[in-house]
């Protein structure tokens, strides 16, 4: 799922680059024109096969927001793959006037058959089996600007994984492995986030940087079946290679660590 969303984000970035001029805090923008973008979503990975779908992105500014405020957006996406995987997502990114507050969400539901090799570095290619499951996830963040480009605030996340089945490569059902969450899981957590965001655009950045740090606690008293704590750092740098902002060199570093006893689907992974 994570790899599919990365491809989807890349596709959206490429298609939306043409709309950058109205989403920049560095462009003379006397009147902002709200718009709705309709985009195809195409891609392929070994995990998904060929994927296709559609993305709809309304872009707008709230009343009272001037050129110093980046535009808000709400991304709707529906993706289907040739391996019978289905992903539906809603990603609102609401920015209040003067960027005093940022309200970000990530809501998705998916049915995602995938390959599974077990846990740890001793797993072998021959250990591959198929895993089928349904997941529903809700994440909501509310961040307040405390200085130029610096935002901080709480966030919550709830997710449920159910209808898990395991099959061999021929399609015969297998017993569930002895891994945490193999019979299904619920993660319910609350955390805190800090963000340093000087990008000239949220959706199609061409300059400056973005650094985000978050801590998320999923305790059993909030309903988590496999309690754990996660730490995540996401750093990105954008370099404009052309005066027309048509070519951008981007770098990203991502670190995630978990402690406790998370479900096997919530473990960190190398990509």
């Amino acid at each position: 799922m994570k790899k599919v969303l990365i491809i989807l984000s890349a596709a959206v970035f490429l298609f939306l680059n043409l709309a950058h001029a109205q989403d920049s805090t560095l462009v003379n923008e006397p009147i902002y024109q709200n718009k709705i973008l309709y985009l195809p979503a195409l891609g392929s990975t070994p995990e998904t096969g060929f994927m296709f779908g559609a993305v709809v992105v309304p872009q707008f500014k709230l009343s009272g927001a001037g050129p110093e405020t980046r535009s808000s957006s709400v991304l709707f996406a529906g993706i289907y793959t040739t391996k019978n995987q289905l992903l539906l997502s809603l990603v609102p990114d609401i920015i209040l006037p003067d960027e005093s507050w940022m309200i970000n969400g990530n809501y998705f539901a998916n049915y995602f058959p995938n390959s599974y090799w077990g846990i740890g570095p001793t797993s072998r290619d021959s250990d591959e089996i198929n895993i089928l499951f349904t997941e529903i996830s809700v994440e909501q963040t509310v961040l307040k600007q405390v200085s130029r480009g610096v935002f901080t605030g709480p966030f919550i996340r709830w997710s449920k994984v159910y209808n898990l089945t395991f099959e061999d490569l021929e399609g015969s059902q297998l017993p569930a492995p002895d891994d945490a969450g193999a019979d299904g899981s619920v993660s319910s957590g609350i955390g805190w986030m800090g963000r340093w965001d000087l990008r000239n655009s949220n959706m199609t950045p061409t300059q400056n940087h973005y650094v985000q740090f978050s801590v998320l606690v999923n305790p059993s008293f909030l309903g988590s079946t496999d309690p754990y704590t996660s730490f995540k750092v996401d750093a990105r740098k954008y370099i404009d290679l052309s005066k027309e902002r048509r070519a951008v060199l981007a770098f990203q570093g991502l670190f995630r660590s978990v402690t406790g006893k998370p479900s096997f689907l919530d473990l960190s992974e190398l990509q």
Side-chain angles (χ1 to χ4, degrees):
M1 178 189 66
K2 298 182 180 66
K3 296 181 180 178
V4 175
L5 294 178
I6 290 171
I7 291 174
L8 174 59
S9 299
V12 171
F13 177 84
L14 291 173
F15 280 106
L16 294 185
N17 202 34
L18 297 176
H20 165 76
Q22 288 197 345
D23 192 34
S24 173
T25 60
L26 303 180
V27 175
N28 184 19
E29 187 184 15
I31 299 177
Y32 181 85
Q33 298 294 326
N34 295 338
K35 53 188 172 292
I36 301 178
L37 303 174
Y38 302 91
L39 310 169
L42 303 173
S44 178
T45 72
E47 294 81 7
T48 64
F50 180 70
M51 51 180 272
F52 56 92
V55 179
V56 179
V57 188
Q59 284 186 284
F60 55 92
K61 287 193 176 185
L62 301 179
S63 177
E68 74 287 343
T69 303
R70 287 167 284 188
S71 66
S72 300
S73 63
V74 181
L75 186 149
F76 303 88
I79 307 293
Y80 185 75
T81 79
T82 53
K83 293 190 176 181
N84 298 320
Q85 297 154 325
L86 176 64
L87 302 98
L88 303 172
S89 63
L90 169 64
V91 184
D93 184 13
I94 309 301
I95 304 176
L96 272 60
D98 299 321
E99 301 196 353
S100 56
W101 293 86
M102 285 191 176
I103 304 172
N104 311 124
N106 186 8
Y107 316 104
F108 69 83
N110 65 64
Y111 171 70
F112 201 81
N114 205 351
S115 297
Y116 181 60
W117 287 267
I119 299 173
T122 60
S123 59
R124 301 164 296 179
D125 289 343
S126 58
D127 295 332
E128 180 182 2
I129 61 174
N130 293 325
I131 175 175
L132 299 86
F133 63 91
T134 302
E135 181 178 10
I136 300 174
S137 179
V138 174
E139 183 174 318
Q140 183 63 59
T141 304
V142 178
L143 302 178
K144 179 176 176 55
Q145 183 170 216
V146 294
S147 64
R148 179 179 177 269
V150 179
F151 304 83
T152 187
F155 73 104
I156 59 172
R157 179 179 179 269
W158 178 89
S159 70
K160 181 177 181 179
V161 178
Y162 59 100
N163 291 344
L164 278 86
T165 58
F166 298 83
E167 299 176 349
D168 61 25
L169 299 184
E170 285 71 42
S172 299
Q173 188 166 342
L174 299 171
D178 189 22
D179 298 329
D183 296 323
S185 64
V186 174
S187 296
S188 181
I190 185 170
W192 198 266
M193 180 179 295
R195 181 185 298 170
W196 184 23
D197 184 2
L198 292 179
R199 297 173 298 171
N200 57 335
S201 167
N202 276 12
M203 295 202 66
T204 55
T206 62
Q207 295 176 343
N208 298 328
H209 60 262
Y210 169 102
V211 180
Q212 180 174 284
F213 171 78
S214 63
V215 179
L216 178 67
V217 181
N218 299 271
S220 56
F221 67 82
L222 288 181
S224 297
T225 55
D226 303 283
Y228 71 96
T229 300
S230 67
F231 306 87
K232 185 177 180 180
V233 180
D234 184 358
R236 312 172 196 176
K237 175 65 177 178
Y238 303 90
I239 302 174
D240 187 2
L241 300 179
S242 66
K243 294 181 179 180
E244 296 80 15
R245 296 175 181 170
R246 300 279 182 169
V248 180
L249 179 62
F251 300 90
Q252 181 179 19
L254 184 64
F255 170 83
R256 182 176 183 268
S257 177
V258 297
T259 62
K261 299 179 180 180
S263 161
F264 74 99
L265 290 172
D266 285 322
L267 290 170
S268 298
E269 58 185 32
L270 294 174
Q271 298 188 8

